Amino acid sequence: MQKTNIMQSETIPRLLFKMSFPMMLSMLIQALYNVVDSIFVAMVSETALTAVSLAFPLQNLLISAAVGTGVGINSLLSRRLGEGKHEEANHVASTSLFLAFAMWVLFVLIGVFFTKPFLALFTKDTELLKLSTSYSRICLIVSFGCIFSITIEKLIQATGNSVQPMTMQLTGAITNIILDPVFIFVFGLGVNGAAIATVIGQIASMLLAIIFFKKNEYISIKFKDIKPNARIIKDIFQVGLPSIIMNSIGTVMVSLINKILILFSATAVSVFGVYFKLQSFVFMPVFGLNNGVIPILGFNYGARNKKRMLDTMKLGLVVALLIMITGTICFQLFAKELLSLFSATEEMYRIGIPALRTISLCFIPASISIILIASFQATGFGLASMMVSIIRQLVVLCPCALLLSRLIGINGVWYSFAIAEIFGLLFSVIFFIHVYNKKIKNL
């Protein structure tokens, strides 16, 4: 007999805390890893830091594919559990593991054949190209730990358990932080050492994920069931594919912005890479909140409980705003101190201080968009989240950055982020009104 799921029995504040806080904490640790990793790399040289920044789009593509598919898995599985279709939920889980394996094979091929040609589009510097290529290849070819840990994390989250995913992420991040200086400095592997520490941390997270998954009380699958199911794959990618595209747009955006910035200097690319590491301290907790909100919304959408859905969204918006307001204040007041963590040169300070202060203006409108997008993903309308990202990052941000960089210089690139986020918020509100009227209002 199936136990009563906390998604339908717990009060919303307690449920959101239970679901989101562990994920927010684990993502803060993940953000800490991102920053510590770059701090160690910056100690090697500014060229090494630039190499990792150039490799970021390929890493982001990997994470986007795994997380985007995971969003589709999470949404579908939580809805099936909310509908009481437990056998169908098992089939969703088994198909998800097959998709994880197929995704790993794809990224091995990308790592082997496409890494160097892609990175060569952004630099002709032989040393920089060599460092960024080797770093990227290690991360992509040995990506099975990353992909399987994310997939299983989303499966476990959908059953209402957020403590285990937190523990998995903590294990990976802490392992990574400990091994970084060992491989970079003790073994003298430099940038490659950072990549090796990264994949070992991901494998550690995956191994713990497998242990937790075997003990899950809501999902039960057998090895022979891990095979493709066309109907389930279609349902997963109905939400997951727009999310993959939405997140992958970040890869295109970062690549285009790097292309614009490198015309100014390699230091400008390093500053942009540092910004992305630092902003993760602000965005990662909100994404953790988002990861807690989606299964609650998805379950209660399946159970046709409108009040619990709306209560979850209202509380999520308040928490997201508080986090982003705090982040904005920190970036405005302590920009120089934040840059100093990365062995900043005078040139990095000159470019980076106005960059951090200007881009952080986008934090507050972004917080509202992120929570609204959770409602699109939870109700199976992932297309709306994809459209918001396309509008924000490709239609507005990149053209605006190119135009303003030519009109007012490098600061125009930073202003384009705030402009794009305002457009993103506008369209998020428009799409939410549509989703509410079509899917939520009459529950």
Side-chain angles (χ1 to χ4, degrees):
M1 185 176 179
Q2 294 288 336
K3 293 176 61 177
T4 300
N5 197 298
I6 63 169
M7 298 286 202
Q8 64 191 100
S9 60
E10 189 66 88
T11 63
I12 292 301
R14 287 176 59 87
L15 178 60
L16 188 60
F17 180 82
K18 286 182 179 179
M19 291 296 296
S20 295
F21 182 74
M23 293 307 304
M24 293 166 70
L25 180 61
S26 64
M27 286 194 166
L28 268 175
I29 298 297
Q30 188 66 32
L32 177 63
Y33 148 69
N34 289 334
V35 170
V36 170
D37 185 62
S38 291
I39 289 173
F40 285 131
V41 169
M43 290 178 183
V44 177
S45 67
E46 187 174 313
T47 300
L49 181 61
T50 305
V52 173
S53 298
L54 284 178
F56 175 79
L58 288 172
Q59 284 185 290
N60 188 62
L61 182 64
L62 168 65
I63 299 297
S64 298
V67 172
T69 304
V71 167
I73 292 166
N74 188 309
S75 175
L76 181 59
L77 184 59
S78 61
R79 279 182 276 145
R80 293 296 176 263
L81 291 171
E83 293 162 353
K85 298 177 180 178
H86 299 287
E87 189 62 32
E88 178 73 7
N90 290 338
H91 291 315
V92 172
S94 60
T95 302
S96 300
L97 296 179
F98 170 82
L99 286 176
F101 176 78
M103 195 185 309
W104 172 55
V105 173
L106 173 62
F107 277 98
V108 169
L109 296 175
I110 292 173
V112 172
F113 296 108
F114 298 105
T115 298
K116 188 172 183 179
F118 173 79
L119 292 169
L121 296 173
F122 302 96
T123 181
K124 303 302 179 185
D125 185 308
T126 305
E127 180 65 15
L128 185 56
L129 180 60
K130 178 183 176 182
L131 289 175
S132 58
T133 299
S134 60
Y135 178 89
S136 299
R137 280 181 172 161
I138 293 169
C139 291
L140 296 180
I141 293 171
V142 197
S143 61
F144 62 87
C146 171
I147 293 169
F148 275 95
S149 63
I150 289 174
T151 300
I152 297 173
E153 170 195 317
K154 297 301 182 183
L155 289 170
I156 293 174
Q157 277 180 353
T159 67
N161 188 320
S162 58
V163 174
Q164 289 178 349
M166 175 193 73
T167 307
M168 289 154 45
Q169 288 202 18
L170 287 174
T171 299
I174 292 172
T175 301
N176 210 329
I177 290 171
I178 293 172
L179 294 180
D180 254 337
V182 175
F183 283 101
I184 293 173
F185 301 114
V186 178
F187 294 158
L189 296 177
V191 169
N192 287 345
I196 293 169
T198 295
V199 297
I200 291 175
Q202 291 167 348
I203 292 169
S205 179
M206 179 195 72
L207 294 175
L208 186 59
I210 292 171
I211 294 171
F212 286 148
F213 187 65
K214 286 182 176 180
K215 298 179 180 179
N216 191 277
E217 57 191 328
Y218 297 105
I219 307 173
S220 177
I221 64 173
K222 298 177 181 178
F223 184 78
K224 65 181 179 64
D225 295 327
I226 301 175
K227 55 189 178 183
N229 181 307
R231 178 179 54 82
I232 291 175
I233 290 174
K234 179 183 176 182
D235 288 342
I236 288 173
F237 282 115
Q238 185 177 350
V239 172
L241 184 59
S243 184
I244 291 172
I245 294 172
M246 176 183 71
N247 291 319
S248 297
I249 287 167
T251 298
V252 178
M253 180 273 289
V254 172
S255 299
L256 293 175
I257 296 296
N258 280 341
K259 190 75 172 176
I260 295 170
L261 291 174
I262 206 158
L263 296 176
F264 290 94
S265 68
T267 301
V269 175
S270 296
V271 166
F272 189 47
V274 165
Y275 160 74
F276 257 95
K277 303 294 184 179
L278 290 171
Q279 61 92 32
S280 65
F281 270 114
V282 185
F283 277 85
M284 284 293 210
V286 179
F287 289 141
L289 176 67
N290 177 273
N291 286 342
V293 166
I294 289 174
I296 298 173
L297 293 178
F299 186 98
N300 286 287
Y301 178 68
R304 301 187 63 80
N305 193 325
K306 180 173 73 172
K307 184 178 186 304
R308 287 177 69 83
M309 289 185 71
L310 295 179
D311 287 347
T312 300
M313 288 200 65
K314 290 174 185 175
L315 185 57
L317 282 168
V318 171
V319 177
L321 279 168
L322 289 174
I323 293 171
M324 288 297 199
I325 290 170
T326 302
T328 303
I329 293 171
C330 289
F331 271 63
Q332 294 296 319
L333 297 181
F334 306 112
K336 184 174 183 179
E337 289 76 10
L338 290 171
L339 288 167
S340 69
L341 297 172
F342 300 88
S343 306
T345 61
E346 286 303 315
E347 181 69 0
M348 282 189 71
Y349 284 129
R350 185 185 70 81
I351 297 173
I353 291 174
L356 296 190
R357 288 175 176 167
T358 303
I359 303 178
S360 64
L361 297 175
C362 77
F363 290 175
I364 293 174
S367 65
I368 302 172
S369 296
I370 290 169
I371 300 302
L372 293 181
I373 285 172
S375 70
F376 309 157
Q377 295 167 333
T379 58
F381 190 46
L383 181 64
S385 57
M386 180 187 74
M387 292 175 68
V388 170
S389 285
I390 290 174
I391 291 167
R392 185 177 71 243
Q393 299 188 68
L394 297 186
V395 176
V396 180
L397 175 57
C398 291
C400 193
L402 180 61
L403 177 63
L404 291 181
S405 68
R406 293 178 175 179
L407 292 177
I408 61 175
I410 193 171
N411 288 336
V413 178
W414 316 136
Y415 287 123
S416 65
F417 281 86
I419 295 169
E421 206 59 61
I422 292 172
F423 276 90
L425 175 58
L426 174 63
F427 280 92
S428 294
V429 171
I430 292 171
F431 285 129
F432 175 72
I433 293 171
H434 172 77
V435 169
Y436 178 81
N437 290 330
K438 293 288 185 181
K439 292 177 173 283
I440 301 174
K441 184 176 180 180
N442 296 318
L443 288 179

